[in-house]
């Protein structure tokens, strides 16, 4: 067979030779498919340059899946300038499922799920009744949950392969779904393959971010397709020609294509004879195919290239003006010359390869492009009308801005209806961009300019882009005279305030301006403003003002009409009352608010109330009950599609588990949370909890990584409630590393960031940790005879204690949060340690308060310090032994390695016989009792010379200086220091000096 005959009569063979050179990659994909069939799902990113063979490899894998009696769902992303079609690849994937199988899976879903899915995917699921678009910020996350459930039901009966090709062209909503899906895989019989063109991923491309995010997730892998070898190209060409290639052809092809199989096929097919020169460029080779077509066939190819997606026969006929035999002949010619391919199942036609479409489109003159887009737009406007987003794009490229505005608005409202918020924003912004280019046509639109910008702002907010939402709201406010329509201006100002919740002052200013514009007969709107103000004031801890606003809002309640607002107002009132000193009364209001929110069916208010109720329970020290509320609230949020709230409640539940000492359960929850797509507050809380857990368990490097991320998020978010836990946690990490100065710096940074936003639920940990840091610094300073440093540390410890005591003074004892009271007792005991006056009774009181609170780690720490103080003050040894035993048992239960190691060192130093998991009893002779008076005074069996060296070491002298003071050699001084460190069970000279000073082995400074 010659190359000419291959081109003329058997061109189809060019794309269907046996797969060349991809055996290893196909084996990897087969293995992933087998793993998925065994219930170990994964998402695999298949990347490589254009033409490298990604689509061919996916088709091979789909054939393997069908051989395994699995379902092969194929989704194709479409390049439509701004991603006009929400969920385009998901829709095409669902259309590829057999009707009976899809219907069976849908039947297992609740009616609400089928309704939402029908709204988004009418072609696959069925038409849903028309509904008015309402405020539904959780619609997309709810839809994602339904899609996941649908895939799980499909995978129950068969292995499912979901392939999504060309995600570099994916719409925003599809990219978001892939993120969600990758983080939600558990044990489904599901393999997800997404392909991407590596050469498209420039630095600013959204798919680059997507691929980066995906490949960092557990359960996601990446397979990069590299160019074929020269031997593989030889095998490919020989399969196409069915004979040995002419001499020199492989060398020329490989040199020109660098191993790209598609380039090789096209250059081979375009050459007249293998002995002649190959085409100058790939574009020349691709265009030669077009040049061999007749006029009608060439028109069809150009239409398909301009369309950017598969076209049905009816749309082709309307756009081309061809019909009957002429259309059939043109389509047959395109198929025979391998410029178009036909999907036999759907009857759609598409350009054979994206590179061919790009070459054909690039070769068109501007006037030709405009004509093609005009014909496509007109064809899509005829019944049955095509997607409005496509029409908008084609009208714009055809130079018809007025028609593009109308189609864009239609597309935007349609995208809103199916929760495609990113696409809705793109459509509305396009309409805004084009508005002034044809004001007359735009004036006939169903939305005016203000409504258009308002809808765009709302879509941006639902996407989580508050900055864009605020900017669009501000533009809308600048578009009209507020005096002519004060109610509209007030509504926009309320949105503007809500769109910047963490910018308290600007938000409150917007609310005040809106209130001033409201007519007197608008009680429901006025009530909403007061609720908004109360919420904003609560963010900055201005509880008295928040209570006043909430009470004012409640007075404006209008029954069922304002039930949702009333529930929010009562929740804010209860939270304010609780933080003002009466948590019991606050809890009553919150539980009332929960009932109202359930009656109103208001998701946003309901999930917020669960969060607030949990905080008020924590304020009362009822951590186990708060955990129960978080779990209940998380389930309610998931059921209503409020996934951001569900994730935040899950993170709060993790914090509760940390407090309660259920650390093994917590570790599992943190792992599960790590697979979710968390917004910043939830991510910050997760990192904070993980950092504190890893610190206590001795995994200091992992803890540092968590805290680094948490502190970065603290910089980005004005969420002061997270600051104390993060900065006190990282300060404790530095203490375990023996770096108290760094710990002090971090606490100062945390206090500075906190500003005036102190409250009794979050701030106490920062002050008690601060006092602990200063106690450590004071002990070290005294051991080194650094009196000024010791005095500074004492003053700072006193300041931490006094500030926390001051915060607790205004409230009655009964309303003081139990956790705050326990932190204050800890502060007082730490202050005694800083002063060099160990206080066993203070630590005993601290342990008792933490015991009542149920915080096992805090109990263990207080018991450890209690034992240490008893040893330091020569208290009863049985009491010290019992306290240390309690600390070690709790550490063993928790896995608190750092504190356990410190407690074991104390046991060795003080010769206290204790036992716990991981603790070794010191020699029995070490606990011979007070009869061994000398051992009691010197429990480490230090020699007299070692005691002398220890005293000098505590003064900060070097080995050389010690040798000079004692008239011994420097080597001998070093040996004595080594013996001392070993007997005291410490790591360095400073710690040895601190231990000796603390236990009275050397005189106190």
């Amino acid at each position: 067979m010659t190359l000419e005959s291959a081109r003329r009569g058997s061109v189809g063979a060019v794309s269907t030779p046996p797969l060349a050179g991809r055996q290893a990659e196909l084996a990897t994909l087969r293995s992933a498919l087998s793993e998925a069939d065994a219930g170990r799902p994964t998402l695999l990113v298949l990347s490589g340059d254009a033409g490298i063979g990604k689509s061919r490899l996916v088709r091979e894998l789909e054939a393997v899946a069908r051989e395994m009696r699995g379902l092969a769902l194929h989704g194709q992303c479409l390049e439509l300038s701004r991603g006009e079609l929400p969920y385009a690849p998901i829709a095409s994937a669902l259309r590829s499922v057999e009707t009976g199988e899809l219907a069976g899976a849908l039947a297992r879903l609740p009616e609400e799920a089928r309704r939402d899915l029908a709204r988004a995917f009418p072609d696959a699921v069925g038409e849903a009744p028309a509904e008015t678009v309402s405020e539904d910020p959780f619609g997309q996350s709810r839809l994602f949950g339904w899609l996941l459930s649908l895939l799980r039901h499909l995978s129950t009966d068969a292995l499912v392969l979901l392939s999504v090709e060309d995600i570099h062209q994916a719409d925003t909503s599809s990219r978001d779904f892939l993120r969600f899906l990758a983080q939600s895989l558990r044990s489904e019989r599901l393999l997800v393959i997404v392909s991407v063109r590596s050469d498209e991923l420039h630095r600013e491309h959204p798919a680059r971010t997507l691929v980066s995010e995906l490949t960092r997730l557990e359960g996601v892998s990446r397979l990069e397709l590299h160019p074929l070898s020269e031997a593989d190209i030889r095998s490919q060409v020989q399969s196409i020609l069915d004979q040995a290639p002419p001499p020199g052809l492989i060398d020329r092809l490989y040199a020109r294509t660098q191993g790209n199989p598609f380039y090789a096929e096209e250059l081979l097919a375009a050459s007249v004879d293998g002995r002649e020169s190959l085409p100058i460029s790939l574009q020349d080779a691709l265009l030669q195919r077009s040049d061999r077509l007749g006029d009608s066939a060439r028109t069809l190819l150009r239409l398909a290239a301009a369309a950017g997606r598969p076209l049905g026969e009816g749309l082709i006929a309307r756009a081309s003006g061809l019909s009957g035999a002429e259309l059939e002949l043109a389509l047959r010619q395109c198929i025979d010359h391998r410029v178009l391919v036909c999907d036999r199942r759907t009857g759609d036609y598409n350009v054979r390869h994206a590179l061919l479409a790009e070459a054909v489109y690039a070769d068109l003159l501007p006037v030709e492009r405009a004509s093609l887009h005009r014909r496509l737009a007109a064809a899509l406007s005829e019944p049955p009308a095509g997607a409005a987003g496509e029409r908008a794009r084609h009208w714009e490229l055809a130079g018809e801005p007025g028609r593009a505005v109308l189609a864009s608005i239609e597309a935007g409202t349609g995208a809103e209806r199916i929760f495609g918020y990113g696409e809705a924003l793109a459509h509305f912004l396009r309409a805004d961009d084009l508005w002034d280019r044809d004001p007359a046509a735009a004036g006939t639109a169903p939305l005016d300019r203000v409504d258009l910008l308002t809808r765009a702002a709302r879509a941006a907010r639902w996407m989580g882009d508050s900055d864009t939402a605020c900017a669009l709201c501000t533009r809308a406010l600048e578009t009209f005279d507020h005096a002519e329509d004060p109610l509209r201006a007030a509504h926009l100002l309320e949105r503007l305030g809500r769109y910047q919740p963490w910018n308290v002052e600007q938000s409150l200013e917007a609310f005040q301006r809106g209130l001033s514009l409201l007519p007197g007969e608008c009680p429901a709107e006025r009530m909403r403003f007061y609720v908004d103000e109360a919420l904003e004031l609560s963010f900055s801890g201005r509880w008295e003002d928040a209570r006043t606003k909430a009470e004012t809002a409640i007075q404006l309640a209008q029954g069922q009409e304002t039930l949702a607002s009333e529930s929010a107002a009562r929740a804010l009132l209860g939270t304010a009352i609780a933080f003002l000193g009466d948590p019991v009364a606050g809890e009553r209001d919150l539980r009332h608010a929960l009932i109202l929110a359930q009656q109103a069916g208001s998701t946003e208010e309901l999930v917020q109330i669960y969060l607030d109720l949990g905080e008020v329970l924590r304020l009362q020290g009822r951590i186990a009950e708060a955990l129960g509320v978080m779990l209940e609230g998380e389930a309610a949020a998931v059921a209503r599609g409020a996934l951001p709230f569900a994730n935040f409640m899950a993170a709060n539940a993790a914090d509760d588990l940390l407090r309660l000492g259920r650390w093994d359960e917590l570790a599992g929850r943190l792992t599960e949370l790590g697979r979710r797509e968390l917004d910043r507050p939830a991510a910050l809380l997760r990192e904070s909890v993980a950092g504190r857990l890893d610190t206590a368990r001795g995994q200091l490097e992992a803890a540092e990584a968590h805290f680094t991320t948490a502190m970065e998020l603290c910089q980005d978010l004005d969420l002061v409630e997270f600051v104390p836990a993060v900065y006190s946690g990282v300060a404790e990490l530095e203490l375990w590393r023996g770096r108290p100065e760094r710990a002090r710096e971090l606490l100062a940074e945390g206090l500075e960031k906190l500003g005036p936003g102190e409250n009794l639920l979050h701030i106490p940990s920062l002050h008690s940790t601060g006092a602990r840091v200063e106690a450590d610094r004071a002990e070290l300073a005294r051991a080194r005879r650094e009196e000024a440093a010791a005095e500074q540390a004492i003053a700072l410890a006193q300041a931490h204690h006094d500030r926390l005591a001051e915060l607790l003074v205004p409230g009655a004892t009964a309303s003081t949060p139990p956790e705050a009271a326990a932190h204050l007792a800890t502060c007082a005991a730490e202050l005694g340690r800083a002063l060099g006056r160990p206080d066993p009774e203070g630590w005993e009181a601290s342990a008792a308060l933490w015991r009542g609170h149920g915080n096992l780690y805090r109990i263990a720490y207080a018991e450890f310090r209690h034992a240490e103080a008893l040893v330091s003050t020569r208290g009863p040894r049985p009491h010290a032994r019992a306290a240390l035993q309690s600390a070690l048992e709790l550490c063993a239960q928790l896995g608190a390695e750092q504190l356990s190691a410190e407690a074991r060192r104390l046991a060795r130093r003080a010769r206290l016989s204790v036992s716990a998991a991981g603790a070794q009893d010191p020699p029995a002779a070490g606990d011979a009792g007070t009869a061994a008076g000398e051992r009691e005074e010197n429990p480490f069996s230090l020699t007299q010379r070692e005691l002398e060296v220890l005293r000098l070491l505590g003064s900060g002298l070097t080995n050389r200086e010690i040798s000079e003071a004692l008239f011994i050699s420097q080597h001998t001084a070093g040996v004595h220091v080594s013996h001392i460190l070993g007997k005291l069970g410490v790591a360095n000279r400073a710690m040895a000096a601190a231990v000796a000073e603390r236990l009275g082995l050397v005189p106190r400074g």
Side-chain angles (χ1 to χ4, degrees):
M1 178 186 294
T2 66
L3 293 176
E4 179 66 16
S5 64
R7 189 181 67 251
R8 287 181 178 173
S10 304
V11 181
V14 171
S15 70
T16 55
L19 190 65
R22 296 298 185 202
Q23 285 72 31
E25 291 87 346
L26 185 57
T28 298
L29 295 177
R30 281 177 173 270
S31 176
L33 198 59
S34 297
E35 288 287 302
D37 196 26
R40 293 183 288 274
T42 190
L43 185 148
L44 190 145
V45 179
L46 185 63
S47 57
D49 291 346
I52 206 69
K54 300 182 295 298
S55 296
R56 177 64 193 281
L57 202 55
V58 168
R59 289 199 297 272
E60 291 284 338
L61 189 64
E62 288 173 343
V64 172
R66 294 188 186 98
E67 290 173 3
M68 297 171 65
R69 299 184 181 277
L71 299 177
L73 283 61
H74 188 94
Q76 180 69 51
C77 299
L78 307 177
E79 187 171 17
L80 298 176
S81 78
R82 301 189 194 179
E84 287 87 350
L85 301 177
Y87 321 113
I90 313 303
S92 62
L94 291 178
R95 286 195 296 269
S96 67
V97 184
E98 292 296 331
T99 304
E101 291 167 332
L102 183 60
L106 286 168
R108 302 179 199 176
L109 296 176
E111 182 181 350
E112 182 184 8
R114 295 195 296 271
R115 184 173 63 249
D116 282 346
L117 289 167
R119 288 170 64 181
F121 309 106
D123 292 346
V125 179
E127 288 287 347
E131 298 178 31
T132 303
V133 177
S134 60
E135 295 274 356
D136 190 358
F138 308 120
Q140 187 174 81
S141 58
R142 188 172 62 249
L143 179 66
F144 288 175
W146 299 142
L147 280 170
L148 177 62
S149 297
L150 179 61
L151 288 172
R152 283 176 173 162
H153 287 311
L154 286 170
S155 69
T156 299
D157 301 326
L159 165 68
V160 174
L161 169 63
L162 170 62
S163 56
V164 179
E165 289 208 66
D166 299 328
I167 61 170
H168 51 278
Q169 298 175 351
D171 56 275
T172 302
S173 295
S174 293
R175 290 197 301 270
D176 289 342
F177 176 68
L178 288 173
R179 289 187 182 92
F180 170 82
L181 183 60
Q183 293 172 327
S184 304
L185 296 176
R186 296 295 180 268
S187 58
E188 301 84 3
R189 296 169 64 197
L190 173 65
L191 173 62
V192 183
I193 301 285
V194 298
S195 70
V196 63
R197 277 171 56 171
S198 303
D199 50 332
E200 289 282 341
L201 300 185
H202 57 77
R203 187 172 297 276
E204 302 301 323
H205 199 295
R208 181 188 181 102
T209 303
L210 172 64
V211 169
S212 176
E213 291 175 358
L214 290 178
T215 51
R216 287 198 298 266
L217 296 174
E218 182 182 352
V220 175
S221 58
R222 183 171 183 174
L223 179 60
E224 179 79 22
L225 294 191
H226 299 289
L228 298 179
S229 67
E230 186 172 350
D232 294 332
I233 292 292
R234 181 181 298 279
S235 174
Q236 177 192 18
V237 171
Q238 192 160 335
S239 297
I240 293 172
L241 299 180
D242 199 24
Q243 63 184 29
L249 176 61
I250 299 301
D251 291 340
R252 295 197 303 277
L253 271 177
Y254 188 73
R256 292 284 303 282
T257 65
Q258 294 297 301
N260 187 297
F262 178 74
Y263 294 1
E265 291 174 6
E266 291 303 314
L267 292 175
L268 179 65
S271 62
V272 176
D273 192 301
R275 299 178 183 83
E276 296 185 11
S277 297
L278 298 172
I280 296 173
S281 68
L282 176 65
Q283 184 169 8
D284 291 332
L286 293 170
L287 290 177
Q288 282 185 32
R289 287 183 180 272
S290 173
D291 292 342
R292 293 193 295 270
L293 300 173
D295 290 342
S296 296
R298 190 180 298 114
T299 297
L300 297 190
L301 173 60
R302 290 174 172 176
L303 279 169
R309 70 166 180 91
L311 300 175
E313 184 179 332
L315 182 57
I316 292 174
R318 295 198 300 273
S320 66
L322 301 177
S323 61
E326 188 179 10
L327 178 61
E328 291 177 15
L329 182 62
L331 286 170
R332 169 51 60 187
Q333 190 176 18
C334 288
I335 296 296
D336 288 346
H337 283 78
R338 295 208 41 77
V339 294
L340 294 183
V341 292
C342 178
D343 185 331
R344 305 286 178 173
R345 188 179 62 83
T346 65
D348 289 343
Y349 295 84
N350 200 9
V351 182
R352 176 182 167 237
H353 196 282
L355 289 172
L356 174 58
E358 291 168 14
V360 170
Y361 191 77
D363 190 55
L364 295 171
L365 296 172
V367 67
E368 292 175 311
R369 292 180 185 177
S371 175
L372 289 169
H373 287 296
R374 187 174 293 106
R375 293 161 75 172
L376 285 165
L380 286 166
S381 301
E382 297 178 24
E390 282 190 271
R391 281 187 276 121
R393 169 181 177 258
H394 290 308
W395 283 128
E396 180 183 9
L397 293 174
E400 300 273 2
R403 290 179 169 180
V405 167
L406 298 178
S408 293
I409 291 175
E410 181 185 345
T413 54
E416 277 183 333
R417 182 172 175 267
I418 61 173
F419 320 120
Y421 306 138
E423 292 69 37
L425 176 61
H427 292 307
F428 291 140
L429 290 179
R430 170 191 277 135
D432 180 57
D433 289 342
L434 298 173
W435 192 277
D436 293 329
R437 288 169 56 182
D438 191 347
T444 66
L447 302 178
D448 65 15
R449 193 72 171 274
V450 177
D451 286 333
L452 176 65
L453 293 169
T454 302
R455 297 281 275 272
R458 184 173 68 178
R461 173 65 189 283
W462 288 349
M463 286 180 63
D465 187 353
S466 293
D467 289 343
T468 298
C470 288
L472 290 167
C473 238
T474 301
R475 279 192 57 206
L477 283 163
E478 294 169 349
T479 306
F480 68 101
D481 186 345
H482 299 180
E484 293 182 1
D485 196 343
L487 187 57
R488 189 184 214 186
H491 284 159
L492 277 168
L493 285 164
E494 195 225 351
R495 288 181 179 274
L496 181 61
R498 282 194 280 138
Y499 290 172
Q500 46 186 339
W502 313 123
N503 194 332
V504 176
E505 295 309 319
Q506 289 189 24
S507 184
L508 289 173
E509 180 186 355
F511 294 143
Q512 288 297 321
R513 287 172 57 200
L515 271 169
S516 69
L517 290 171
L518 273 181
E521 66 278 6
C522 299
E525 287 82 358
R526 195 171 296 277
M527 181 183 185
R528 186 68 241 177
F529 268 108
Y530 286 128
V531 170
D532 290 334
E533 284 188 296
L535 179 62
E536 200 65 36
L537 290 163
S538 72
F539 291 150
S540 56
R542 293 158 62 177
W543 298 113
E544 195 65 62
D545 292 337
R547 179 173 69 176
T548 300
K549 296 293 183 181
E551 288 172 339
T552 304
I554 292 170
Q555 293 171 3
L556 294 170
Q558 303 286 305
Q560 188 66 35
E561 178 188 352
T562 58
L563 204 56
S565 293
E566 184 182 354
S567 70
R570 289 198 176 277
L572 287 162
L573 176 62
T575 306
I577 289 173
F579 277 95
L580 287 170
D582 193 351
V584 175
E587 181 187 348
R588 284 198 300 269
D589 278 314
L590 278 160
R591 294 195 181 277
H592 183 192
L594 192 63
I595 294 171
L596 294 179
Q598 290 167 339
Q599 292 173 350
S602 175
T603 297
E604 196 163 4
E605 277 73 20
L606 180 69
V607 294
Q608 183 63 55
I609 292 167
Y610 273 113
L611 281 169
D612 293 338
L613 180 57
E615 286 289 87
V616 170
L617 290 171
R618 293 183 194 100
L619 201 61
Q620 299 175 68
R622 294 155 60 187
I623 308 301
E625 291 180 61
L627 173 62
V629 167
M630 289 302 95
L631 297 178
E632 181 183 334
E634 181 186 2
V638 169
R640 290 162 174 79
L643 295 186
F645 279 89
N647 291 337
F648 191 54
M649 280 188 268
N652 271 280
D655 201 15
D656 293 332
L657 289 170
L658 181 70
R659 283 182 165 95
L660 293 169
R662 292 159 59 175
W663 286 6
D664 290 337
E665 183 181 349
L666 168 61
R669 176 164 281 264
L670 288 174
T671 299
E672 195 272 333
L673 269 172
R675 291 194 289 263
R676 299 192 193 183
E677 184 177 4
L678 304 179
D679 60 12
R680 286 184 169 185
L684 195 163
L685 185 52
R686 180 194 177 275
E687 295 297 324
S688 171
V689 172
R692 284 175 277 155
L693 177 65
D694 284 345
T695 295
R697 287 193 154 178
Q699 299 167 6
L700 303 189
E701 289 187 6
E704 181 179 24
H706 289 303
F707 281 130
T708 298
T709 302
M711 287 192 291
E712 289 173 355
L713 289 168
C714 278
Q715 305 305 321
D716 294 338
L717 291 173
D718 186 19
L719 293 173
V720 295
E721 66 188 86
F722 297 104
V723 169
V726 171
Y727 282 86
S728 62
V730 74
E732 182 180 7
L733 168 64
E734 294 300 333
L735 284 181
W736 289 128
R737 285 176 160 173
R739 301 196 291 216
E741 294 296 332
R742 177 58 182 152
R744 186 191 66 78
E745 292 170 2
L746 287 165
L747 286 169
E749 181 182 331
L751 284 166
E752 181 180 358
K753 184 164 184 61
L754 197 63
E758 296 177 306
N759 65 61
L760 296 184
L761 184 57
H762 303 116
I763 188 64
S765 66
L766 204 56
H767 287 304
S768 66
T769 304
R772 174 181 171 183
V773 168
E774 300 309 329
D776 280 10
R777 291 181 66 237
E779 286 185 338
L780 283 172
R782 277 195 298 273
R784 294 167 175 168
R785 302 297 189 268
E786 297 172 353
E787 295 183 6
E791 290 301 321
Q792 181 203 45
I794 292 169
L796 290 172
Q798 186 76 56
H800 281 296
H801 172 272
D802 292 350
R803 178 55 184 153
L804 185 52
E806 180 185 348
L807 286 172
L808 295 179
V809 166
T813 303
S815 66
T816 298
E819 184 170 319
H823 276 296
L824 181 60
T826 302
C827 256
E830 296 284 16
L831 177 57
R833 193 162 66 92
L835 290 165
R837 297 197 290 268
D839 181 9
E841 291 78 12
W843 285 114
E844 188 175 22
S846 172
L849 287 169
W850 285 118
R851 195 170 288 108
H853 191 62
N855 192 315
L856 300 188
Y857 183 60
R858 298 282 185 179
I859 298 168
Y861 177 75
E863 290 281 36
F864 160 69
R865 291 297 185 195
H866 181 205
E868 180 187 65
L870 285 168
V871 170
S872 297
T873 58
R874 305 295 191 270
R877 289 179 63 79
H879 294 179
R881 185 184 304 111
L884 198 57
Q885 179 73 47
S886 173
L888 281 166
E889 289 174 355
L890 286 170
C891 287
Q893 177 182 338
L894 295 169
E897 290 299 325
Q898 290 295 130
L899 183 57
S900 179
E902 189 72 13
R904 292 196 298 270
R905 282 193 287 269
L906 174 61
R908 289 194 297 271
R909 292 195 299 265
R911 295 298 191 266
L912 292 172
S913 180
V914 293
S915 63
Q920 296 180 354
D921 289 353
D927 191 37
T930 57
E934 183 179 350
R935 183 177 302 278
E936 191 69 19
E937 291 299 321
N938 181 11
F940 301 100
S941 300
L942 296 174
T943 68
Q944 187 61 38
R945 176 61 82 179
E946 285 168 348
L947 285 170
E948 292 172 351
V949 171
L950 180 56
R951 292 186 182 98
L952 295 174
L953 185 152
S955 299
L957 272 61
T958 65
N959 285 357
R960 182 180 60 80
E961 292 168 334
I962 291 172
S963 69
E964 293 173 353
L966 297 179
F967 303 100
I968 58 178
S969 72
Q970 188 170 336
H971 172 72
T972 301
V975 171
H976 284 314
V977 170
S978 295
H979 288 168
I980 291 168
L981 297 183
K983 289 182 177 182
L984 295 183
V986 296
N988 55 52
R989 301 160 70 92
M991 291 176 67
V995 167
E997 192 273 343
R998 185 185 307 151
L999 299 182
L1001 297 180
V1002 295
R1004 295 185 185 275

